[in-house]
Amino acid sequence: MMQDITYIQITLLTLLAVLGGIDPYISGLQFSKPAIAGFLAGIIMGDISTGLVVGSTLQLMVLGVGTFGGATIPDFGTGAIIGTALGVVSGRGIEFAIGLSVPVGLLLVQLDILARFCGVYFSHRIDTYIDRGEFNKINIMSWLSLLPIALSRAIPVLISLIFGNNVINVVLNYAPDWLMGGLKVAGAVLPVVGIGILLHYLPVKRFFGFLLVGYLLAAYLNVPMMGVAVAGAAAAFIHYKQLQEKHELKTQFADVAAANASTVSEGDEIDDDEL
């Protein structure tokens, strides 16, 4: 079911993309994270569930990945914004939205590199102001250096959303079946890949029993995700209590050992005095 996207939604989504782009440099409120960006985009589009699913699926793809040393990674935060918006507008489902989000995130790698390259100009201007002793202008240049980053997110989102309906109509009417099927397959496979990456980082061998319980609840008993999450919280609480009891036993054992050692030491001192 196709629906129109309003200019207010376009403006808010563009501002959200800009905020996600510059947030790591000014506040660190995690607006660039796909899960948060998708959730906020879902609120703007009036479909929170789609935003959450798209954002959380893309979040699994970037677990443990960061821009360390200035490295550039796929911008799945902006991808989640565009994917959620166009997915809701097209009415083609979550798989279609995720399939659109991935190439957008990969494309923005190149735009991010271009934006950082443009930032070199502002760095040289700051060097010039330092040489001149005009320290009051350094702060201004620092803020202006965020402009290329903001534009690298705002322009693609703005173009995608303004021409979104027309582009989607063209895609839906003229795209071959193999392309549309490929997008749906990619959207269905990516969550599995993300979960695989997540399991790679988790101590699965140590907590394999809990993994089996969660799989049993979800696959065979059809327990909703909230129920599985509550069961996981209960298992985590039980494990925490077990660790706490072990720590208390170790502390008591250490106290007893220290007391015994002190008693032996005092007994030795008495024997020495008697001698």
Side-chain angles (χ1 to χ4, degrees):
M1 180 68 179
M2 291 285 294
Q3 71 178 57
D4 294 330
I5 184 170
T6 66
Y7 288 108
I8 294 178
Q9 289 174 323
I10 292 175
T11 301
L12 292 176
L13 291 171
T14 302
L15 292 176
L16 177 61
V18 170
L19 182 60
I22 65 175
D23 174 69
Y25 303 95
I26 59 175
S27 64
L29 295 177
Q30 309 302 315
F31 288 109
S32 61
K33 299 299 183 183
I36 296 178
F39 169 67
L40 295 176
I43 293 177
I44 295 173
M45 294 302 300
D47 191 344
I48 297 178
S49 61
T50 297
L52 280 174
V53 174
V54 173
S56 59
T57 301
L58 295 176
Q59 185 70 58
L60 291 173
M61 303 298 297
V62 293
L63 287 175
V65 180
T67 56
F68 306 112
T72 298
I73 63 173
D75 185 7
F76 287 142
T78 305
I81 296 173
I82 295 179
T84 298
L86 297 186
V88 173
V89 169
S90 66
R92 293 299 296 267
I94 293 173
E95 290 83 3
F96 180 79
I98 296 173
L100 288 176
S101 301
V102 174
V104 170
L106 296 176
L107 173 64
L108 287 174
V109 171
Q110 310 303 324
L111 295 180
D112 184 68
I113 294 174
L114 178 62
R116 296 189 185 205
F117 177 78
C118 294
V120 174
Y121 166 80
F122 299 97
S123 298
H124 288 313
R125 294 299 302 172
I126 289 176
D127 291 337
T128 302
Y129 291 140
I130 292 175
D131 294 336
R132 295 177 181 175
E134 299 175 350
F135 302 111
N136 60 315
K137 296 182 179 180
I138 295 177
N139 193 40
I140 298 175
M141 284 294 106
S142 297
W143 283 102
L144 289 178
S145 66
L146 298 176
L147 185 60
I149 301 293
L151 292 177
S152 69
R153 272 67 174 181
I155 293 176
V157 171
L158 190 61
I159 293 176
S160 299
L161 298 181
I162 288 178
F163 299 101
N165 285 350
N166 295 330
V167 171
I168 290 176
N169 283 324
V170 171
V171 171
L172 295 180
N173 293 331
Y174 298 102
D177 293 337
W178 61 264
L179 176 59
M180 301 303 298
L183 288 175
K184 290 185 177 180
V185 170
V189 170
L190 283 176
V192 179
V193 177
I195 292 174
I197 295 174
L198 177 61
L199 293 177
H200 177 73
Y201 286 101
L202 295 176
V204 176
K205 293 181 179 179
R206 183 180 177 187
F207 300 103
F208 187 71
F210 293 114
L211 179 63
L212 290 180
V213 171
Y215 178 76
L216 175 66
L217 293 175
Y220 291 97
L221 301 180
N222 296 323
V223 177
M225 291 305 299
M226 181 59 69
V228 177
V230 172
F237 179 76
I238 293 173
H239 179 67
Y240 170 75
K241 295 298 291 185
Q242 291 176 344
L243 291 178
Q244 192 176 38
E245 291 175 359
K246 290 181 180 180
H247 178 71
E248 292 176 355
L249 289 175
K250 288 182 179 180
T251 303
Q252 292 175 2
F253 178 78
D255 293 340
V256 172
N260 291 336
S262 176
T263 301
V264 173
S265 177
E266 290 176 357
D268 291 342
E269 292 178 358
I270 293 174
D271 292 342
D272 292 339
D273 293 338
E274 293 176 350
L275 291 174

